[in-house]
Amino acid sequence: MLRRSAQLLRRHTSSAAARAAVRQEIASLEKASIAGGGIDRIEAQHAKGKLTARERLDVLLDTASFREIDALASHRCDDFGLESDKAPPGDGVVAGFGTVHGRPVCVFSQDFTVFGGSLGEAHAAKIVKVMERALHCRCPIIGLSDSGGARIQEGVLSLAGYADVFQRNVDASGIVPQLSLVLGPCAGGAVYSPAMTDFLYMSRQAYMFVTGPDVVKAVTNEVVSRNDLGGADVHCSKSGVAHGAFDDDLAALKATRTLLGYLPQSYDGENPDVLPYDDPDRKDAALNTIIPDDPNTSYDMREVVKRVVDGHSLLLFSEDYAPNIITAFARLNGRVIGVVANDPRHLAGCLDADASTKAARFVRFCDAFQIPLCTFVDVPGFLPGVAQEHGGIIRHGAKLLFAYAEASVPKLTVITRKAYGGAYDVMSSKHLRGDANYAWPSSEIAVMGAAGAAEILHRGVSDEDRAVKAEEYASRFANPLLAAKRGFVDAVLEPSETRPRLIADLEVLRHKERPNLPRKHSCGPL
């Protein structure tokens, strides 16, 4: 009996020691995972003006809300100098979930201090897992990119990992909001995951390109720097890939928190409306005089929008890309809306290829996530020119037309001045199932401007007679009366009456149901 008791005691002691050893190993691995690539690489990251992967999550998420998953995951590769038994825990990406403004989000943050943030099999599996959790839990996905690209040592496993992430991007599209922050290198195939997400912000320490400067020089003999090829300002003003450029990580992360305040958790979730804080009956008298008497004089459409929506609620995107059209979120009586507006300060507010694509993508996002659309129209037509025609203005313009026609959310439209030609139809007209369409007394709804119409209708007459005919055309068509008589606008409003009217419309349309015809999916002009 004593001998058996001694054996049991030794076995228990051995088992307890084993458990203690396991706990000690886990603690050691967790400590190594938190340390990332070590103090030297962290200092190098800071020297570049960048935060570490974990510091970024501390800024993005509510205090103490982050819960990590797969902190101990590591690669299993033993090729080209990698040793699986010495693999750093975490494998170069921090993944998990937390809250922003008290609402759940799923996140991953690539760690440049570990393998340069390169993506391998285990790294990709962590991202895939957190994306799938976002789909199951119906919450936004936020990815923070800072990576040297595919992990070459893992070969096709790295490529497979990218494809797995891409597939989840597609699976999540239109179900939960997807946000990307590119805060460091993002090159090669790595660019396509952020490009497929709904909103993409970049810091000015970051760059994105499919092929880098060395490859460009070898193939085309062009010499270009990383920033000039794919820096934040390039993608916010020329390519349209990014929606906002920020001086540093901190600014980009804070902007992301602001953006999330306008987004629902999922397509079937409630919009994050707030209690009304601005008088719904406010009538801003300045709107009655904001449109210049000269129809060829520009004005700031952003100022018009600001005076209609709730105070300090306008959140603009892609301001430097296709600035002739404005895309933004705002609030009306506390409710989130998407705003699309022509800006006559740029190209007179004409629609060109870039503006059409920019607006179409925004309209489709708002429609996917049940965000009502409010469109402010001052458009003299599509931009003419050989470059536009050869650049596909027909195809790109059709994208915007298709997006508005397909959208089934509440659609409110205000024509402030010009609405000419096919662009009138495209900009959320009554004919595209607009719910509430209004015109200001200053509006001109016609096939074209009076001078152009007179040129075509009265060829061969003197300049004096043509000017008279132009005046006749203007008096008949350069106003909203004919459209109002036909019911193509629901009312001609004094500009100061716009805000109360739109708020009333939104309330009536709160439970609008007008589904599209059943099909697998539409075949828009991509």
Side-chain angles (χ1 to χ4, degrees):
M1 187 70 178
L2 288 173
R3 185 181 302 150
R4 178 168 176 78
S5 297
Q7 288 175 343
L8 289 173
L9 181 60
R10 283 196 298 270
R11 192 177 301 166
H12 176 76
T13 303
S14 175
S15 178
R19 285 196 296 270
V22 169
R23 288 194 182 96
Q24 187 175 357
E25 184 177 2
I26 290 172
S28 176
L29 289 171
E30 288 176 342
K31 184 177 180 181
S33 179
I34 292 171
I39 189 64
D40 290 342
R41 291 181 180 176
I42 289 173
E43 287 178 353
Q45 183 88 339
H46 289 163
K48 296 174 185 175
K50 295 158 57 175
L51 300 176
T52 66
R54 292 180 183 276
E55 288 169 343
R56 288 164 176 164
L57 293 179
D58 287 341
V59 175
L60 175 65
L61 302 174
D62 295 341
T63 302
S65 70
F66 180 59
R67 298 293 180 268
E68 188 171 359
I69 61 174
D70 289 340
L72 306 186
S74 58
H75 72 76
R76 295 175 287 278
C77 180
D78 289 300
D79 296 321
F80 301 102
L82 290 184
E83 298 176 71
S84 59
D85 60 338
K86 297 180 181 177
D91 204 46
V93 63
V94 182
F97 58 95
T99 62
V100 175
H101 308 308
R103 299 190 299 157
V105 296
C106 286
V107 294
F108 64 88
S109 180
Q110 293 181 311
D111 188 348
F112 194 78
T113 71
V114 179
F115 295 135
S118 61
L119 184 140
E121 181 185 24
H123 184 121
K126 290 178 65 172
I127 295 175
V128 166
K129 181 186 283 190
V130 81
M131 294 178 78
E132 289 179 341
R133 173 171 287 201
L135 273 174
H136 298 155
C137 300
R138 291 291 196 267
C139 68
I141 302 165
I142 310 169
L144 281 58
S145 297
D146 188 359
S147 168
R151 191 172 300 162
I152 297 172
Q153 297 94 325
E154 296 195 36
V156 71
L157 294 176
S158 293
L159 302 181
Y162 273 125
D164 290 340
V165 173
F166 299 158
Q167 182 63 56
R168 275 37 175 218
N169 285 128
V170 175
D171 292 345
S173 181
I175 297 178
V176 296
Q178 301 182 74
L179 284 66
S180 293
L181 286 83
V182 178
L183 304 173
C186 186
V191 302
Y192 290 112
S193 177
M196 285 192 288
T197 59
D198 300 310
F199 294 96
L200 195 163
Y201 285 163
M202 293 181 70
S203 72
R204 290 191 168 88
Q205 289 75 43
Y207 54 84
M208 294 177 71
F209 39 65
V210 176
T211 54
D214 293 340
V215 176
V216 169
K217 182 180 180 182
V219 175
T220 69
N221 206 33
E222 295 172 288
V223 178
V224 63
S225 69
R226 287 174 175 175
N227 270 338
D228 289 341
L229 182 62
D233 292 320
V234 168
H235 286 308
C236 284
S237 62
K238 295 183 178 180
S239 73
V241 169
H243 296 85
F246 301 90
D247 288 336
D248 53 32
D249 292 4
L250 194 62
L253 293 161
K254 287 183 175 179
T256 303
R257 286 181 59 87
T258 301
L259 170 58
L260 284 163
Y262 290 84
L263 304 182
Q265 293 294 94
S266 65
Y267 81 99
D268 52 358
E270 293 292 324
N271 285 332
D273 300 333
V274 300
L275 291 174
Y277 61 88
D278 195 351
D279 183 3
D281 296 319
R282 174 169 56 80
K283 298 176 182 179
D284 194 327
L287 289 171
N288 294 332
T289 57
I290 203 167
I291 305 298
D293 292 332
D294 182 353
N296 296 318
T297 299
S298 67
Y299 60 94
D300 190 348
M301 182 64 87
R302 292 177 304 177
E303 191 63 27
V304 171
V305 176
K306 286 177 182 177
R307 290 179 179 277
V308 172
V309 301
D310 294 350
H312 310 291
S313 71
L314 190 66
L315 181 64
L316 296 160
F317 302 103
S318 303
E319 293 184 72
D320 297 322
Y321 177 71
N324 41 321
I325 202 152
I326 295 165
T327 52
F329 288 126
R331 296 184 186 277
L332 267 177
N333 205 33
R335 293 188 62 190
V336 176
I337 60 169
V339 174
V340 179
N342 308 109
D343 192 341
R345 297 178 307 155
H346 303 279
L347 300 178
C350 282
L351 289 173
D352 64 354
D354 289 344
S356 298
T357 301
K358 169 183 168 180
R361 184 176 180 186
F362 184 72
V363 168
R364 285 180 59 81
F365 175 84
C366 290
D367 186 48
F369 289 96
Q370 305 297 330
I371 298 172
L373 285 161
C374 188
T375 305
F376 292 82
V377 182
D378 186 352
V379 59
F382 285 93
L383 185 66
V386 174
Q388 285 295 310
E389 297 294 343
H390 290 183
I393 184 64
I394 297 172
R395 175 168 51 89
H396 294 299
K399 292 177 185 178
L400 183 54
L401 168 61
F402 200 99
Y404 267 126
E406 191 177 44
S408 60
V409 294
K411 293 184 284 191
L412 315 178
T413 304
V414 179
I415 301 173
T416 62
R417 190 166 63 178
K418 297 174 184 175
Y420 288 169
Y424 154 72
D425 286 326
V426 168
M427 292 296 293
S428 197
S429 64
K430 179 65 74 176
H431 322 287
L432 300 184
R433 301 191 306 186
D435 294 297
N437 294 70
Y438 301 112
W440 287 1
S442 52
S443 62
E444 305 172 14
I445 306 171
V447 174
M448 62 176 64
E455 286 279 353
I456 294 172
L457 295 174
H458 304 285
R459 297 180 187 274
V461 303
S462 68
D463 290 344
E464 273 188 21
D465 289 342
R466 191 178 298 114
V468 171
K469 296 298 183 183
E471 285 295 327
E472 291 176 0
Y473 184 92
S475 65
R476 176 158 174 74
F477 295 111
N479 58 65
L481 294 180
L482 184 59
K485 289 176 181 178
R486 291 287 193 272
F488 299 155
V489 295
D490 298 306
V492 179
L493 297 178
E494 280 299 314
S496 59
E497 300 281 347
T498 304
R499 173 179 166 81
R501 190 63 176 261
L502 294 181
I503 288 173
D505 285 317
L506 269 185
E507 186 58 34
V508 170
L509 293 164
R510 181 181 288 272
H511 301 295
K512 171 189 173 181
E513 287 190 18
R514 192 172 187 173
N516 290 315
L517 296 174
R519 72 196 82 192
K520 182 177 181 182
H521 61 73
S522 60
C523 299
L526 296 176

